Amino acid sequence: MSAILVSTLFCLVVAVSDGDSLIVRCGAPGPHATQRVRVVSIDAPESRQAFGQRSRQNLAQLCLRREATLRTQGHDAYGRLLAHVECGGQDVAERQVAAGLAWVYAPQAGRYPGLTALQRQARASRTGLWSQKRPLAPWDYRRRNPHHH
């Protein structure tokens, strides 16, 4: 059994940083009430990459100033909350992958057969970032450009 405590939070999305991260306010308002959230299972293009801005805009359309349901899975190395996120009853990871605006995070792809199938469809129909000849995975982009975190 993993020791990660999964809890469900109901939050208001106050900002969208990029195609896979949000800033939310959960619970009682207060000076430190905002929390950075990283959507688990997907990796969106970096903002300087092709489709990076489109990916952010799509997530903003889904979530910005709306209530989000977060199924949390602990924190990452940057102190961000890791969570499966739903906005307006829609699974954010599924919407982003189906639109060709995020990749299924490769190391964990085996855990998400549904997402992987959506990615195959997006790729086959050349949707979003799959319209590029050689789309560069964001993890490869970050490896080549280590300063643009």
Side-chain angles (χ1 to χ4, degrees), residues 121-136:
Q121 285 171 347
R123 192 171 195 161
S125 55
R126 297 209 168 86
T127 304
L129 64 87
W130 303 108
S131 62
Q132 303 170 89
K133 248 203 188 75
R134 281 188 293 278
L136 181 64

Side-chain angles (χ1 to χ4, degrees), residues 46 53 94 111 124:
E46 296 290 317
Q53 294 302 325
E94 288 178 8
R111 284 191 232 164

Side-chain angles (χ1 to χ4, degrees), residues 33-68:
T34 59
Q35 171 77 52
R36 292 185 309 148
V37 179
R38 177 74 169 74
V39 180
V40 297
S41 75
I42 62 169
D43 203 345
E46 296 290 317
S47 54
R48 292 161 187 258
Q49 280 189 274
F51 293 94
Q53 294 302 325
R54 282 266 303 280
S55 181
R56 189 185 72 81
Q57 286 158 4
N58 197 56
L59 186 55
Q61 275 174 345
L62 278 168
C63 292
L64 190 56
R65 288 188 285 282
R66 301 180 70 178
E67 191 171 89

